[in-house]
Amino acid sequence: MIMIFNRKELMLTTAMDVSVRVRDLLVANGIDHLVKVRNLQDLRGGRSGTFGLNTNYTHEYRIYVHKKDHEKALWLLRNS
């Protein structure tokens, strides 16, 4: 089980398709992971609307793995 004390950040991305590919790679290789999603529009101070905003990059995806799996996960990312 991944908890705050035994996890290490594998990557940070704003592209959902990248996060999905990485998560699929981790699942295929049996690496437990945790994804934290943050809505970046919440940082705009309550203003609404998306005019001029690239909606492909409105969320931030942080992917964590267990510390013991971090090196293996990095190797998989680099070699996939």
Side-chain angles (χ1 to χ4, degrees):
M1 175 180 232
I2 298 177
M3 300 179 74
I4 195 165
F5 300 110
N6 67 4
R7 71 182 184 196
K8 192 165 182 179
E9 185 175 301
L10 179 64
M11 74 175 311
L12 166 67
T13 184
T14 56
M16 183 175 24
D17 60 329
V18 171
S19 72
V20 170
R21 278 194 310 240
V22 170
R23 289 163 43 198
D24 288 345
L25 181 67
L26 294 173
V27 168
N29 288 279
I31 298 176
D32 194 20
H33 63 282
L34 174 69
V35 180
K36 297 277 186 170
V37 181
R38 184 171 71 159
N39 185 348
L40 298 177
Q41 285 185 295
D42 290 345
L43 304 175
R44 296 179 63 215
R47 290 179 269 153
S48 61
T50 58
F51 180 75
L53 181 67
N54 187 342
T55 55
N56 292 326
Y57 303 102
T58 58
H59 290 81
E60 175 182 271
Y61 304 90
R62 289 183 185 265
I63 302 175
Y64 298 94
V65 295
H66 196 283
K67 287 180 182 179
K68 67 177 177 63
D69 296 325
H70 189 260
E71 289 298 319
K72 180 180 177 183
L74 279 177
W75 186 88
L76 288 168
L77 287 179
R78 290 181 185 137
N79 295 300
S80 64

